[in-house]
Amino acid sequence: MPVEPMVFPAHSRLLHYVVLIGLTFALTLGGILARPIESLSLFWPVNAVLAGVLLRYPRQATPTGFTLVWLAMVGADLLCGSAWLPALWFNLCNLGVVVTLWLLLSRLPRLHRRMRTPHGVLSVFGACAAAAIVAASMAAVMATPWFEQSLRATWLAWFSEQFSTSVLVLPVLLTAPSARALVRGGAQAIRLAPLLVLLASLAFSIAFGGPGAIAFPIAALLWCAWTYSPFLVSLLTLTAGSTLIVAVAQNLMHFSVPQSEPGVTTLLSARLGIAMLVLGPLVVACVSQANRSLMARLAHQATIDHLTGVLTRSAFTRRANTLLESRQQHAQALPLTLMMLDIDHFKSINDAHGHAVGDQVLRQFAATLQDQLHDGELIARLGGEEFVVVLPGMAPDRARFTAERLRRAVQDLHVMQAEQHLRITVSIGLAGCAADMPAPTLDELLARADQALYRAKAHGRNRVEQAELQRQVM
Ligand SMILES: Nc1nc2c(ncn2[C@@H]2O[C@H](COP(=O)(O)OP(=O)(O)OP(=O)(O)O)[C@@H](O)[C@H]2O)c(=O)[nH]1
């Protein structure tokens, strides 16, 4: 889905444009001051950062916004002493990167644009390559008059720099969690081992040297990729990639490719190699994240009933069995009660008002029960309009009062339907064991509570019936 155009009040739009101009100006100034005199910078992250910001906050991605970005770049360049024509033209090349990335990526569905799918990661790589081709081609047009390099060498230098920088920088901005997600997620401990191994393998790459050494950190990066979030992995690929590029540029890794083709320098070859190297870890990071989310969703679906938000039958069975086993292990076993609850004449609600109203009744019924229960007490939906509650530490005689309270709360419940109040009642059967009695199995408890429930229905509904108390001594 493309990014939707948004309408904002004039003063808010103006403020956003001012922020965009300030950001562009500061980034460009920083980039120029950091680059060696009279040469192309080792990194020019301005274009990728601006594209990332505009993709995340598309309010200013308008013709006016792009023009202001260009003017701010030109202004910063002129301030640093560039001549007018090169400043205008080369910043138009830079703008070409921002606009191409925006045009190609803003049309992607959000999931792909935020690199949550392998398709998204590959699309970002493709868009970075396309943007680098646009900038390199534009720059090469003016290469001969302004550079002492050939057209081919200029094209290759621009392409390799723009491609590698975009591939390293853009994923950080696209995968960065929003402020709201950060607050919701809270502080989380991270496993340090993959990070430490990555740092060690980077140091080893530089110490060992040679062209093959740029691939040494790949194993550690893959370990990071299936351990950390895509955002953290993007930060690590940026750190690892830029460290290696600087190391190659400073000749710390002691290798050089023979310049068989004009313009193909050691740095250019290493830059392209390093850019391609980070593709694998980024894909792995997004696949593992998707896998983790899927597992969490499946676990949630298996545990929580989607309609009422209480436990499912299978989750209830697991937890209730654990409860009964732990009761058995105590020297002084605590009492315990299980209740079966069944809404009366629920079929007639469905028949008279429709299934959707029936669902609403089920939701409000479950919410009413949850309101009445305390921490540690279990509630689950066994199926249809039948629910079960377990009260650990409460003997059936006392639990009867709780059951009565639940019955009255349901009786007082008003479900609004087409401006009418719908009323329901519930029948409850309870069974349990007193303190120091042997723990019955869950199936036994359910069967006894079910018989009590049957009696409650038979005796006129909207009532509580209790099964015989288990009297056997442990
Ligand atoms: N709306 C809705 N209805 C459901 C759901 N699951 C089961 N039902 C309906 O629940 C009704 C259960 O009806 P019965 O078992 O005959 O019981 P009853 O009408 O409550 O009668 P008594 O239990 O004897 O008081 C059936 O009509 C089912 O179709 C659900 O998830 N949503």
Side-chain angles (χ1 to χ4, degrees), residues 242-419:
S242 39
T243 306
L244 289 172
I245 289 174
V246 171
V248 172
Q250 300 298 319
N251 202 22
L252 296 178
M253 296 177 73
H254 311 293
F255 71 88
S256 59
V257 290
Q259 204 167 339
S260 52
E261 296 288 330
V264 182
T265 61
T266 305
L267 181 59
L268 181 145
S269 168
R271 254 185 185 147
L272 294 180
I274 290 163
M276 298 314 290
L277 202 79
V278 301
L279 177 60
L282 288 174
V283 169
V284 171
C286 103
V287 172
S288 343
Q289 178 72 16
N291 209 19
R292 280 194 290 269
S293 311
L294 182 68
M295 296 304 277
R297 235 185 10 253
L298 284 178
H300 186 264
Q301 277 170 10
T303 311
I304 303 295
D305 176 56
H306 70 100
L307 180 66
T308 59
V310 301
L311 292 176
T312 57
R313 184 183 204 115
S314 60
F316 166 76
T317 307
R318 273 195 310 277
R319 294 202 190 170
N321 275 324
T322 311
L323 212 79
L324 288 170
E325 279 161 25
S326 71
R327 180 182 181 277
Q328 190 81 332
Q329 282 154 11
H330 281 91
Q332 285 198 317
L334 293 171
L336 177 139
T337 299
L338 180 145
M339 298 181 200
M340 298 259 294
L341 306 98
D342 190 289
I343 303 175
D344 297 326
H345 301 302
F346 184 64
K347 186 172 179 310
S348 61
I349 295 174
N350 269 340
D351 292 347
H353 304 281
H355 214 261
V357 175
D359 283 354
Q360 195 189 338
V361 168
L362 287 173
R363 272 193 292 269
Q364 293 204 14
F365 172 75
T368 306
L369 297 187
Q370 275 178 308
D371 280 351
Q372 299 288 326
L373 296 174
H374 303 111
D375 286 350
E377 297 175 342
L378 299 183
I379 168 165
R381 182 178 177 210
L382 291 183
E385 76 319 1
E386 194 171 59
F387 291 73
V388 62
V389 165
V390 173
L391 307 171
M394 200 183 285
D397 290 342
R398 242 186 80 213
R400 216 192 147 90
F401 295 107
T402 306
E404 276 298 338
R405 204 179 67 233
L406 294 180
R407 189 193 61 73
R408 277 197 307 276
V410 171
Q411 186 176 265
D412 295 342
L413 178 66
H414 294 249
V415 181
M416 284 296 287
Q417 160 55 20
E419 302 192 1

Side-chain angles (χ1 to χ4, degrees), residues 20-253:
L20 183 66
I21 294 171
L23 180 71
T24 311
F25 195 81
L27 285 170
T28 310
L29 215 56
I32 295 170
L33 295 177
R35 85 180 164 200
I37 300 160
E38 290 301 311
S39 77
L40 259 183
S41 50
L42 204 49
F43 296 105
W44 186 257
V46 183
N47 307 339
V49 171
L50 286 171
V53 168
L54 290 172
L55 284 163
R56 291 297 298 272
Y57 305 99
R59 299 171 183 197
Q60 304 97 323
T62 58
T64 313
F66 287 119
T67 310
L68 290 174
V69 162
W70 179 51
L71 293 177
M73 285 176 176
V74 173
D77 221 354
L78 291 177
L79 195 73
C80 294
S82 292
W84 267 98
L85 269 181
L88 288 174
W89 183 250
F90 288 125
N91 284 306
L92 206 56
C93 304
N94 286 326
L95 186 71
V97 174
V98 182
V99 172
T100 309
L101 286 172
W102 160 261
L103 286 177
L104 293 177
L105 296 176
S106 63
R107 285 168 166 68
L108 284 182
R110 187 172 181 277
L111 216 59
H112 295 329
R113 197 170 64 241
R114 297 290 301 276
M115 297 180 67
R116 304 246 167 90
T117 60
H119 179 103
V121 178
L122 287 174
S123 303
V124 169
F125 262 67
C128 290
I133 289 173
V134 169
S137 307
M138 289 173 72
V141 172
M142 292 298 177
T144 328
W146 289 333
F147 284 137
E148 282 162 14
Q149 283 178 314
S150 68
L151 187 143
R152 176 194 162 92
T154 308
W155 195 96
L156 285 172
W158 270 73
F159 175 78
S160 70
E161 191 283 318
Q162 289 294 325
F163 178 60
S164 58
T165 307
S166 302
V167 154
L168 292 175
V169 171
L170 194 56
V172 176
L173 286 123
L174 296 182
T175 57
S178 62
R180 209 179 324 140
L182 273 179
V183 172
R184 213 180 323 124
Q188 281 170 5
I190 65 160
R191 283 175 63 196
L192 277 181
L195 178 64
L196 295 177
V197 172
L198 175 63
L199 295 178
S201 58
L202 269 176
F204 183 65
S205 291
I206 296 169
F208 198 87
I214 59 170
F216 287 0
I218 191 76
L221 276 173
L222 287 173
W223 190 13
C224 293
W226 71 69
T227 309
Y228 301 139
S229 68
F231 172 58
L232 202 49
V233 174
S234 306
L235 278 176
L236 293 175
T237 52
L238 170 62
T239 310
S242 39
T243 306
L244 289 172
I245 289 174
V246 171
V248 172
Q250 300 298 319
N251 202 22
L252 296 178
M253 296 177 73

